[in-house]
């Protein structure tokens, strides 16, 4: 195992690729909920990522293959339920079956998990700029990638 970001932090590279693609929706995208400004622009996305999972079933016998699967949550926040559904549709249409180009990795296509919450819920802990309710929708996506051995020089 080398020391390149493609080898050590594929989760970060996956998240950066998805963030770039989500920006094409025309809404703000945040990866740190503490970094959301007081006036974020509506609707907006919060992209969450977790540590990935190795996929090789025979990893113990043959060693780490470099294949990693990451799961991402996209939280959509909007001032109306209608805007929330529209922003969720944009996120799904931009990400589902899109194949990112990630330096040092060979990525598969992004898959939307249809089991995510598709009905807007109301977040009672915060309010909009005029005191209105905030609506949320949660979507989940997965992405798998493998090391691009032609790129790795270690």
């Amino acid at each position: 195992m080398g020391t390149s970001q493609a080898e050590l932090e594929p989760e970060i590279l996956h998240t950066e690729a998805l963030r770039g693609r989500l920006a094409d929706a025309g809404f703000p995208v945040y990866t740190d909920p503490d970094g959301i400004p007081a006036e974020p622009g509506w609707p907006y996305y919060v992209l969450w990522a977790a540590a990935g999972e190795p996929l090789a079933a025979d990893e113990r016998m043959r060693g780490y293959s470099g294949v990693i699967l990451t799961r991402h949550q996209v939280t959509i926040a909007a001032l109306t339920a209608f805007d929330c559904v529209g922003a969720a549709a944009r996120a799904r249409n931009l990400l589902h079956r899109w194949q990112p180009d990630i330096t040092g990795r060979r990525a598969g296509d992004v898959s939307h998990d249809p089991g995510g919450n598709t009905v807007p819920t109301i977040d009672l802990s915060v309010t909009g700029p005029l005191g209105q309710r905030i609506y949320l929708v949660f979507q989940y996506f997965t992405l798998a990638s493998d090391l691009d051995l032609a790129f790795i020089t270690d």
Side-chain angles (χ1 to χ4, degrees):
M1 182 98 176
T3 58
S4 71
Q5 187 177 31
E7 294 171 274
L8 295 178
E9 297 179 334
E11 296 87 347
I12 302 300
L13 297 176
H14 286 193
T15 302
E16 289 173 352
L18 269 64
R19 178 179 55 197
R21 180 70 169 181
L22 271 177
D24 290 343
F27 305 132
V29 181
Y30 303 99
T31 54
D32 178 2
D34 293 331
I36 300 171
E39 296 294 327
W42 300 92
Y44 65 85
Y45 300 116
V46 180
L47 176 61
W48 304 81
E53 297 288 331
L55 284 183
D58 60 348
E59 183 175 307
R60 288 186 155 173
M61 297 296 288
R62 298 185 187 176
Y64 176 55
S65 69
V67 178
I68 197 86
L69 175 74
T70 56
R71 184 170 167 88
H72 301 267
Q73 175 181 310
V74 177
T75 302
I76 298 98
L79 297 176
T80 69
F82 191 72
D83 287 347
C84 208
V85 170
R90 283 190 193 196
R92 183 200 61 240
N93 290 332
L94 281 167
L95 295 177
H96 185 60
R97 298 292 177 227
W98 171 66
Q99 186 175 15
D101 182 17
I102 300 174
T103 301
R105 311 270 323 159
R106 291 178 306 151
D109 60 347
V110 176
S111 179
H112 175 257
D113 178 357
N117 182 5
T118 58
V119 177
T121 59
I122 298 170
D123 184 347
L124 299 175
S125 67
V126 295
T127 59
L130 301 176
Q132 66 269 57
R133 298 182 225 194
I134 304 298
Y135 292 85
L136 302 175
V137 166
F138 307 96
Q139 293 184 327
Y140 301 92
F141 299 88
T142 56
L143 174 59
S145 73
D146 193 1
L147 285 171
D148 183 349
L149 297 179
F151 178 80
I152 304 303
T153 58
D154 292 357

